[in-house]
Amino acid sequence: MKLKELGEFGFIDRIKVDALSRLEEDLVGIGDDCALFQVSQGRSILLTTDMLVERVHFLLDKMTLFQLGYKALAVNLSDIAASGGIAREAFISIAVPEKIEVADLEDIYRGMKALAVKYDVNITGGDTTGSFIDLVINIAVTGEIEKEQALYRNGARAGDLICVTGNLGDSATGLDILLNHPELKSDFESLVSQHLTPEPHLKQGRLIAKSKLASAMMDISDGLASDIRHICKASGVGAEIEIEQLPLSRDYQKYAHEHLNDPLKTALGVGEDYCLLVTLKRSNYDALSREMSANGYVLHAVGKITDSREITLKHPDGRTEQLQWGGWDHFKEKDV
């Protein structure tokens, strides 16, 4: 069997079996955005890692090296945000091909440092090695959180609202511009920027975790169509997404109308939005929405959790249909 037949998440389901040699009550392992383990009474450490590979995750001719460094760290900090934690230390491992010069590496680290200083993150170590062809960057980030505040994927319950903390599809359209319409970059700078230098929602995640009003949370990295499935699978529930409620920026709508064949699929199925996907009791929505707004953030309700075990789309006219496609998977045949 090849990985493309099993898929990234099918592979994860296989390797997580018997991965824990020590079965400890306060430990969360493979399958969530961060691993979590307790280090003192009431206090837990978060740990996450992500790898970016040239030609798979990025194209060097479509972005600056500063932007690459910024994004490489951002995707890791977004995982800490997904648990509601405080990001602390970053460890950078990089495999460098001959085409990359010292000045290039300095630009990559300059991008990382520019984001790290925003969130009080230290770059404290890592590893550097050679690569025959492609540039590879792997980053591990630690964080911390109070045990009772940590949010996971398995807390959603039927009747909960499904919410997001930012617009959907901007990054996907930014990528489309870079690949297919580079002449429009200056007309849609916000979309391109969202793809090249995404901002992790660390502050939003921290606020949500401290409020104790949410039931589950993760970041939207692979697309809402994929990531809501992770929450539903972990929680044993289903979901209904309301198309009319999806937060779509004005630039996204303009570009989509003129250049995208399937705007809905692009908004839900490509990913790299790096906002947060949150579920919470309907009775908690107003309180959390007010608290978010008071701090300059948004909370968009886009659907509800159901007990059907299915993922459906609700159209503006009231029709519902099963969501047939998912989001990004590194190994399965691409459907977006």
Side-chain angles (χ1 to χ4, degrees):
M1 179 184 292
K2 301 293 186 181
L3 270 174
K4 68 179 182 180
E5 300 173 76
L6 184 61
E8 177 186 2
F9 306 111
F11 175 67
I12 290 171
D13 284 341
R14 285 195 174 200
I15 62 170
K16 72 181 182 182
V17 176
D18 298 328
L20 301 180
S21 299
R22 304 186 320 278
L23 298 179
E24 300 173 4
E25 182 179 351
D26 297 313
L27 188 149
V28 176
I30 297 172
D32 226 289
D33 289 282
C34 292
L36 179 147
F37 47 96
Q38 186 171 328
V39 292
S40 63
Q41 189 64 35
R43 199 76 174 170
S44 296
I45 291 292
L46 300 166
L47 177 62
T48 185
T49 184
D50 261 304
M51 181 182 296
L52 272 68
V53 179
E54 184 183 350
R55 295 189 293 167
V56 176
H57 300 98
F58 62 89
L59 299 170
L60 286 177
D61 63 342
K62 302 298 183 183
M63 66 195 313
T64 68
L65 293 168
F66 176 95
Q67 291 167 336
L68 174 59
Y70 193 102
K71 185 171 184 175
L73 182 57
V75 303
N76 283 272
L77 297 186
S78 186
D79 280 339
I80 300 294
S83 295
I86 303 168
R88 287 302 190 201
E89 322 298 335
F91 301 85
I92 317 299
S93 295
I94 187 166
V96 185
E98 189 174 352
K99 65 186 177 184
I100 300 295
E101 300 186 0
V102 172
D104 298 328
L105 291 175
E106 290 175 337
D107 280 345
I108 292 171
Y109 274 84
R110 198 163 51 84
M112 293 178 189
K113 291 173 183 178
L115 181 61
V117 73
K118 287 185 180 182
Y119 297 104
D120 202 26
V121 171
N122 289 328
I123 297 175
T124 49
D127 188 28
T128 304
T129 188
S131 171
F132 286 116
I133 299 175
D134 292 325
L135 176 65
V136 180
I137 303 173
N138 187 81
I139 300 180
V141 175
T142 66
E144 62 180 67
I145 193 168
E146 294 83 354
K147 177 186 172 184
E148 70 277 5
Q149 292 179 3
L151 284 161
Y152 311 106
R153 303 178 182 185
N154 63 359
R157 298 293 178 263
D160 283 358
L161 290 178
I162 301 168
C163 302
V164 296
T165 62
N167 292 328
L168 303 175
D170 281 1
S171 175
T173 48
L175 176 60
D176 192 80
I177 291 165
L178 290 171
L179 294 178
N180 301 313
H181 296 284
E183 74 279 3
L184 298 178
K185 286 196 296 184
S186 60
D187 296 330
F188 295 97
E189 288 183 6
S190 65
L191 303 180
V192 174
S193 176
Q194 179 59 30
H195 180 71
L196 295 178
T197 53
E199 201 67 28
H201 285 205
L202 276 164
K203 294 179 180 179
Q204 295 93 319
R206 190 73 191 120
L207 188 154
I208 292 167
K210 289 174 68 176
S211 76
K212 299 184 181 180
L213 294 173
S215 54
M217 187 162 70
M218 67 177 296
D219 70 330
I220 301 179
S221 55
D222 298 315
L224 179 62
S226 176
D227 293 324
I228 189 61
R229 294 182 191 277
H230 297 322
I231 284 182
C232 289
K233 181 179 180 180
S235 301
V237 294
E240 180 182 86
I241 304 298
E242 294 192 39
I243 295 173
E244 198 169 31
Q245 299 303 315
L246 297 175
L248 305 173
S249 70
R250 186 172 300 176
D251 277 352
Y252 170 85
Q253 293 180 63
K254 180 180 179 182
Y255 182 84
H257 176 72
E258 297 174 357
H259 300 286
L260 295 180
N261 293 327
D262 193 337
L264 180 62
K265 199 171 184 180
T266 299
L268 297 182
V270 178
E272 293 202 323
D273 298 302
Y274 296 114
C275 59
L276 299 176
L277 173 59
V278 188
T279 66
L280 70 163
K281 290 182 179 179
R282 189 176 296 270
S283 58
N284 288 343
Y285 175 77
D286 286 344
L288 184 54
S289 183
R290 283 195 301 269
E291 190 168 352
M292 293 282 284
S293 180
N295 285 275
Y297 308 127
V298 294
L299 188 68
H300 303 283
V302 299
K304 64 181 179 181
I305 295 294
T306 69
D307 58 7
S308 68
R309 299 295 184 99
E310 295 183 344
I311 313 294
T312 60
L313 290 174
K314 183 176 181 180
H315 291 264
D317 62 6
R319 291 182 298 113
T320 61
E321 64 173 317
Q322 191 166 350
L323 180 58
Q324 300 290 346
W325 34 268
W328 176 261
D329 186 306
H330 288 284
F331 301 106
K332 282 194 173 181
E333 297 295 334
K334 302 301 184 287
D335 61 356
V336 294

